[in-house]
Amino acid sequence: MHRGEEDYIKYIYKLTIEANKNIVKNNILSELLGYTNQSVNEMVKRLVKKELVEFIPYKGVRLTQNGIVEAKRLVRNHSLWEVFLVNKLGYSWEEVHVEAEKLEHAGSNELIERLFNYLGKPNYCVHGNAIPKLDGNMPKIYNLSLNNVNVGDVFIVKRVLDHPKLLKFLKQINLELHKSIKIINKDEVNGLISVLIDNKLFDIKSIDAEKIYGIIN
Ligand SMILES: [Zn+2]
C-alpha cells in the first residue's frame, strides 16, 4: 500500500470505528482531508479494487475486514510511536502528531512489538485513543462527548481528538486526561459550555467540546 492509501484507511477507521459509526460519506472525508470530492472518489475506487473498503452508493464508505486489519495496524503503530515520543523523548501531546504520522508507515512488525513491550504494553495513546491489540481486540473506546453532558454533571476526560489547535487550547486551560471537571452552565445560543477545572471557571466552545470525550463520574 502507498502512504496515501494508508492515510485514507486510517481516516476512514477514525470516522467510523473510533466514532462508533457504521459508514462515512465521501464528502465528509474530503472535508477532513482537504481534498476535492473527485480525488476522494478516485481513491475510494482504488481501495475498493484492493478490497480494503466497501462503497455503498448514496451512503458512503466503510472498511472491509481486510481494511480494518490494516487500519488497526496503522493506528497501533501511530499510537505506540506517540507514547514513545511523549514518555521517552519528552515531546508534548500537541507536538507528536506530525512525527507519528511519518513513523506509523515505517518499522517492521518486529520493531513495533519490541516498542510495545518497551513501553509497558500501553492500552491508550497520549490522547486517550484506544490502541488496538495485536489480535485486533480493542480496549474500551470512550465516546461520550463533553457536548452531551448536563449542567451539574462531573465529567472525567478520557480522550481528546488529536487536533493541534484543540490540544494547545486544552494545555492553556490545564485540561489533561483523567481530570474531572464540573459542568456549570451550557449556553446553547452562543455555543459555550462553562466548566470548573481545578476550581477555576473556563468557557469551552461546543465545537471543541464535541472533540473531548469521557465518562460521567
Ligand atoms: Zn494520539
Side-chain angles (χ1 to χ4, degrees):
M1 246 200 295
H2 298 127
R3 183 170 164 182
E5 296 172 349
E6 293 190 331
D7 284 337
Y8 267 80
I9 298 287
K10 200 183 61 184
Y11 280 106
I12 295 170
Y13 174 88
K14 291 202 167 286
L15 293 167
T16 54
I17 291 164
E18 262 183 15
N20 210 11
K21 290 194 176 118
N22 183 35
I23 204 154
V24 58
K25 286 206 155 90
N26 291 25
N27 65 316
I28 303 282
L29 262 180
S30 32
E31 257 168 54
L32 184 88
L33 293 161
Y35 300 146
T36 62
N37 283 331
Q38 198 195 345
S39 64
V40 169
N41 292 343
E42 273 164 24
M43 179 61 97
V44 165
K45 265 185 215 155
R46 261 162 77 179
L47 296 171
V48 167
K49 249 187 210 159
K50 294 194 171 188
E51 296 180 352
L52 293 164
V53 309
E54 201 182 339
F55 175 68
I56 298 158
Y58 308 109
K59 290 206 169 142
V61 288
R62 64 176 170 222
L63 298 171
T64 61
Q65 275 316 310
N66 288 343
I68 292 172
V69 169
E70 266 313 299
K72 283 185 173 175
R73 182 184 65 81
L74 289 160
V75 169
R76 182 174 164 82
N77 289 2
H78 184 103
S79 306
L80 291 172
W81 284 119
E82 276 187 1
V83 175
F84 175 73
L85 292 168
V86 170
N87 292 359
K88 304 293 177 185
L89 301 187
Y91 277 73
S92 64
W93 73 346
E94 76 272 19
E95 288 175 325
V96 290
H97 188 74
V98 182
E99 300 281 12
E101 281 290 297
K102 291 179 203 153
L103 289 166
E104 72 188 18
H105 303 281
S108 64
N109 292 345
E110 172 68 22
L111 171 64
I112 298 298
E113 281 334 287
R114 288 195 186 210
L115 182 62
F116 175 65
N117 288 324
Y118 174 67
L119 295 170
K121 308 187 178 183
N123 279 320
Y124 293 94
C125 83
V126 296
H127 308 104
N129 287 310
I131 303 179
K133 302 205 179 292
L134 205 53
D135 61 10
N137 281 329
M138 299 289 294
K140 177 183 166 58
I141 297 178
Y142 295 99
N143 266 319
L144 174 67
S145 106
L146 178 56
N147 244 355
N148 292 331
V149 298
N150 299 314
V151 172
D153 284 344
V154 173
F155 181 81
I156 302 173
V157 179
K158 289 291 187 186
R159 173 184 162 218
V160 298
L161 293 192
D162 193 350
H163 296 186
K165 256 195 187 160
L166 173 72
L167 297 174
K168 264 184 213 152
F169 169 68
L170 296 179
K171 207 177 192 183
Q172 277 167 18
I173 63 173
N174 227 351
L175 190 51
E176 297 162 344
L177 293 190
H178 314 301
K179 236 181 206 181
S180 23
I181 60 181
K182 189 165 186 184
I183 320 306
I184 301 299
N185 187 40
K186 282 179 96 171
D187 175 352
E188 311 268 356
V189 177
N190 295 303
L192 289 175
I193 300 177
S194 309
V195 298
L196 268 188
I197 306 172
D198 301 328
N199 281 321
K200 278 184 227 147
L201 195 62
F202 291 99
D203 284 339
I204 299 179
K205 290 186 203 140
S206 303
I207 50 162
D208 288 330
E210 74 183 18
K211 302 183 181 89
I212 301 169
Y213 304 91
I215 51 174
I216 291 174
N217 196 7

